[in-house]
Amino acid sequence: MSEQYATTPPQISLMAAGELRDALEAIGEGRGPAAVASLMAIDSASWQAIEQRLAVVVGSDLRTLLLASAGGTTAAQQFVG
């Protein structure tokens, strides 16, 4: 029975989802320090869940996706189709 609980995927907390949203908004507005502060507020379990979901949906991690989007629309499209 303990094996069933060991395979439960990590969950993104509501607070972490809000922090990620705030970070992405800050990045879009050019407020780098605010974006970093929001990202730093995300708990480790939520980070694991975010990484897993991005790997499945986008095929990459958040850092790579953000760097590609900073390079322009064409670079970002390789990750989102």
Side-chain angles (χ1 to χ4, degrees), residues 4-77:
Q4 179 184 18
Y5 297 108
T7 60
T8 303
Q11 299 292 314
I12 301 172
S13 71
L14 290 176
M15 178 162 264
E19 293 291 354
L20 181 58
R21 181 199 62 230
D22 291 348
L24 295 174
E25 184 177 295
I27 289 168
E29 295 172 355
R31 298 181 295 121
V36 171
S38 291
L39 292 173
M40 294 295 294
I42 298 174
D43 62 281
S44 62
S46 292
W47 263 123
Q48 290 177 354
I50 290 167
E51 288 175 344
Q52 286 180 5
R53 289 188 187 183
L54 282 173
V56 170
V57 174
V58 184
S60 188
D61 60 13
L62 182 61
R63 179 180 180 271
T64 304
L65 181 61
L66 291 174
L67 288 172
S69 65
T73 306
T74 306
Q77 285 177 344

